[in-house]
Amino acid sequence: MSPHKRLDAQIRFVLEIDKLKGVLRQSWLLDGERRENSAEHSWHVAMMALVLAEHANAPVDATRAAMMLMLHDVVEIDAGDTFAYDTAAHADKEAREHAAADRLFGLLPADTGAALRALWDEFEAAETIDARFANALDRLMPMLHNLHTQGRAWQANGVTADKVLARNHVIADGSERLWAYARGVIDEAVNKGYLAPAVTYTSG
């Protein structure tokens, strides 16, 4: 590929991912003015990786984790944001997102596209230390948004404490310390009435 065509491909990808700014998530900004978009979420969790790396279960490459988090939701340009607690929508989520990854990373020169796709795949597999930590942060951030917006997204979607526990216990795979913190978030949200308790929920 000539340098000119290579640059054209890179710019095409850069312009295409602008669409991520228009993909709305269920989480609300902390000021309560509007829902956040997926580009904002990606930036925020990438920053978390740089700030919170010391809390990982094992030494982690914070830069690699941040790169994964910058990339992890790019596929939502085509696949949309699948709400974490929407069981039906999750049925074909993997297929939709893999097709989106094929198209989007395929816009880039082959070497760059393959490198970024490999990071995306690593995040999805959640088998490496870096990926497990990145996934932990991706799960923790919406919990923080809900706590500080009085459970707005949880309440709007009928989410209960047992569902939050079941979905987010994988945080411990990346950071036991952050999972302990997350359990405290759940306890506080239940105690303040932001999150509905369930019969199976136990504090602590």
Side-chain angles (χ1 to χ4, degrees):
M1 180 180 287
S2 70
H4 178 74
K5 288 185 177 180
R6 185 177 178 85
L7 178 58
D8 280 349
Q10 292 164 335
I11 295 298
R12 184 164 62 250
F13 176 81
V14 167
L15 294 177
E16 183 70 7
I17 62 173
D18 184 74
K19 294 176 182 177
L20 197 61
K21 299 173 186 175
V23 178
L24 292 180
R25 294 169 50 82
Q26 293 295 320
S27 298
W28 288 76
L29 299 183
L30 298 191
D31 64 9
E33 289 296 313
R34 61 174 175 83
R35 286 156 57 192
E36 70 170 347
N37 65 54
S38 288
E40 293 168 329
H41 166 73
S42 298
W43 164 80
H44 213 169
V45 288
M47 287 295 294
M48 289 177 76
L50 301 179
V51 173
L52 299 175
E54 67 190 81
H55 303 297
N57 287 338
V60 66
D61 185 332
T63 301
R64 287 191 80 252
M67 289 174 68
M68 289 181 204
L69 289 163
M70 289 299 294
L71 292 165
H72 81 292
D73 277 344
V74 164
V75 295
E76 292 183 0
I77 290 169
D78 290 354
D81 176 59
T82 304
F83 182 49
Y85 301 97
D86 186 340
T87 304
H90 275 265
D92 65 346
K93 177 178 181 286
E94 183 176 349
R96 286 186 285 110
E97 293 190 346
H98 276 80
D102 290 343
R103 184 187 79 82
L104 290 161
F105 295 120
L107 296 174
L108 287 159
D111 58 339
T112 306
L116 297 187
R117 175 61 185 267
L119 284 169
W120 184 84
D121 286 335
E122 183 179 344
F123 176 87
E124 289 296 305
E127 294 175 349
T128 66
I129 292 169
D130 295 343
R132 288 196 296 268
F133 183 65
N135 271 274
L137 300 177
D138 188 43
R139 299 294 178 96
L140 177 60
M141 190 72 248
M143 297 174 67
L144 296 176
H145 273 273
N146 268 291
L147 178 64
H148 293 282
T149 57
Q150 293 74 53
R152 191 164 181 174
W154 283 333
Q155 292 180 12
N157 292 281
V159 177
T160 53
D162 56 310
K163 293 180 180 178
V164 178
L165 283 164
R167 170 168 173 76
N168 294 298
H169 69 86
V170 296
I171 290 173
D173 295 340
S175 172
E176 292 282 358
R177 187 173 298 162
L178 291 182
W179 177 231
Y181 185 88
R183 289 294 301 265
V185 167
I186 295 170
D187 290 343
E188 182 177 351
V190 170
N191 291 335
K192 290 183 174 179
Y194 302 161
L195 177 63
V199 175
T200 56
Y201 177 79
T202 55
S203 180

